[in-house]
Amino acid sequence: MSLEPLDREPGPRTSDDRPDPTAPAAPAAPAEPVGGARAWLVWAVGVGVYFLAMFHRNGLGVAALQAQERFDVGPALLSLLPMLQLLVYVVLQVPAGIMADRVGPRRSLLAGLAAMAAGVVLFAVAPTVAAAVAGRVLIGVGDAVTFLNVIRLGALWFPRRRYALVSALTGVAGGLGQVASVAPLSVALHALGWTGAFLATGGLTCAMLLLVALVVRDRPAGAPAPAQHAPLSVLAAVREALRAPGPRVGMAHHAAVMAPYTMLGVLWGYPFLVEGVGLSPSAASTLLTVLGVGVLWLSPVLGAVVGRRPGVRRPFALCLAPLLGLGWLALVAWPGGPPVPLVVAVVALSAAGAVMAPALSFDFARDGLSPERTGVASGLVNMSGFTTTVLATVLAGAVLQAGYGFQAAFVPVTATTLGASAVLAVLLLRPRRDRCRSGTGRVGSASG
């Protein structure tokens, strides 16, 4: 009996198509989760954890002036607090992915919330900057396990066609968490003081821990337990994930489209617009806020489209990443400094790319993998974007410290964006036969 292509159209059965009665029955494919109200509730609680993690991650910016007074440190030493927390986040992405694959999202989220609660309480009562650093490290540890496990809940509770939308909505919740950290924490700091404000956020974190314990489960009731796999070392788990080309595509895409705007948001956007472009402080802050919030709707729209028509992933990624790289190239190469309309266009495109990154990057990463083996793959994708962000941010600071302007300082992020876009193009433009043989076809739906 000859093998037939998987995409053959159904038709009338002929005598040559009759199955061999002596052949063993093929194992039934595992049923996909159906989603539904219970799935959305579990995911919503998980998203609440991610929202809270982003609140903790960005809250230090609101408290920067009070932190300088409380710990009697200068800006250089104070900048180590958010950077160290971000480095902890990056380093722990693969271990967090392994943890997600081994113990499941529920216990991982509970452990992450416990670490964040301990960290914020320690930060609240820290008498010295060393204790404050320890608190921020604990917050970074809890933050590191959160996003991976929230999108892991999406993989385990929703059908494959919904995964891009769920990932996109998760990213939107994180963006809202960044924005929402400013006003409430600022009010709390003025009303309750340093210790009271951060102890209150610690109490909120403990309440979220209790909610996760009561509501979140690793999989729907009645769903079969995943197949047991032998424990893998970190290196073996990484190799296993990278054997599927999907995670490699996701890594290249995330590095290309997520890093530029994240670098601006973390540190250099406001100084660039004020000192490099000449905007007023109010205009610069308004522009960053409007762009950051105004593009959030793009991610769920793209996620919904990808869920229905996964074939759009490939051409969309091949257009967006190179266009973003060329925009940054124009910005750094423009003689005499870029004009304001070009700056606004590049920053807007960067904001759109960053907010749309989860809908594509993490959806690519699932290609060729079962839902139970996506933790390390998602960790690698997340690590690629944040590693590129840290590298571009630090190199920009070094160039500025050496006395050069922002155009020179942004050459590194331009190079990483163009380089990641080139890698992405190579991976996606390989002959279709090679991609299908190596497993890039999307599991459970048409190939992207």
Side-chain angles (χ1 to χ4, degrees), residues 98-331:
I98 294 175
M99 180 181 177
D101 285 337
R102 289 185 182 178
V103 307
R106 181 175 183 268
R107 284 186 285 180
S108 296
L109 288 174
L110 289 173
L113 282 165
M116 281 192 285
V120 74
V121 169
L122 177 58
F123 192 64
V125 300
T128 65
V129 70
V133 167
R136 299 310 294 187
V137 167
L138 282 172
I139 294 173
V141 169
D143 185 13
V145 307
T146 301
F147 179 77
L148 301 181
N149 284 284
V150 176
I151 62 172
R152 181 79 184 281
L153 287 173
L156 295 172
W157 278 86
F158 292 90
R160 180 65 175 90
R161 68 182 182 276
R162 295 282 189 187
Y163 186 71
L165 175 61
V166 172
S167 298
L169 291 172
T170 304
V172 169
L176 292 175
Q178 287 180 307
V179 175
S181 65
V182 177
L185 186 56
S186 178
V187 170
L189 284 168
H190 284 91
L192 304 175
W194 177 279
T195 301
F198 283 106
L199 284 180
T201 61
L204 183 62
T205 306
C206 292
M208 182 61 73
L209 188 151
L210 179 61
L211 187 60
V212 169
L214 293 174
V215 175
V216 173
R217 296 294 181 268
D218 286 343
R219 60 187 62 84
Q228 294 297 316
H229 299 275
L232 297 176
S233 66
V234 173
L235 184 58
V238 170
R239 287 175 176 170
E240 180 188 63
L242 291 180
R243 276 197 294 268
R248 298 200 298 269
V249 175
M251 291 172 68
H253 184 266
H254 211 227
V257 305
M258 175 263 190
Y261 189 76
T262 307
M263 176 203 68
L264 295 176
V266 166
L267 192 59
W268 295 122
Y270 182 84
F272 167 57
L273 293 175
V274 173
E275 298 179 6
V277 179
L279 298 183
S280 67
S282 60
S285 59
T286 300
L287 178 63
L288 290 173
T289 301
V290 168
L291 290 179
V293 176
V295 298
L296 288 177
W297 63 272
L298 292 171
S299 187
V301 170
L302 178 61
V305 172
V306 167
R308 294 178 180 272
R309 300 181 61 85
V312 305
R313 298 182 306 169
R314 189 163 163 262
F316 191 90
L318 287 172
C319 291
L320 176 62
L323 181 62
L324 185 58
L326 291 175
W328 277 89
L329 181 63
L331 190 149

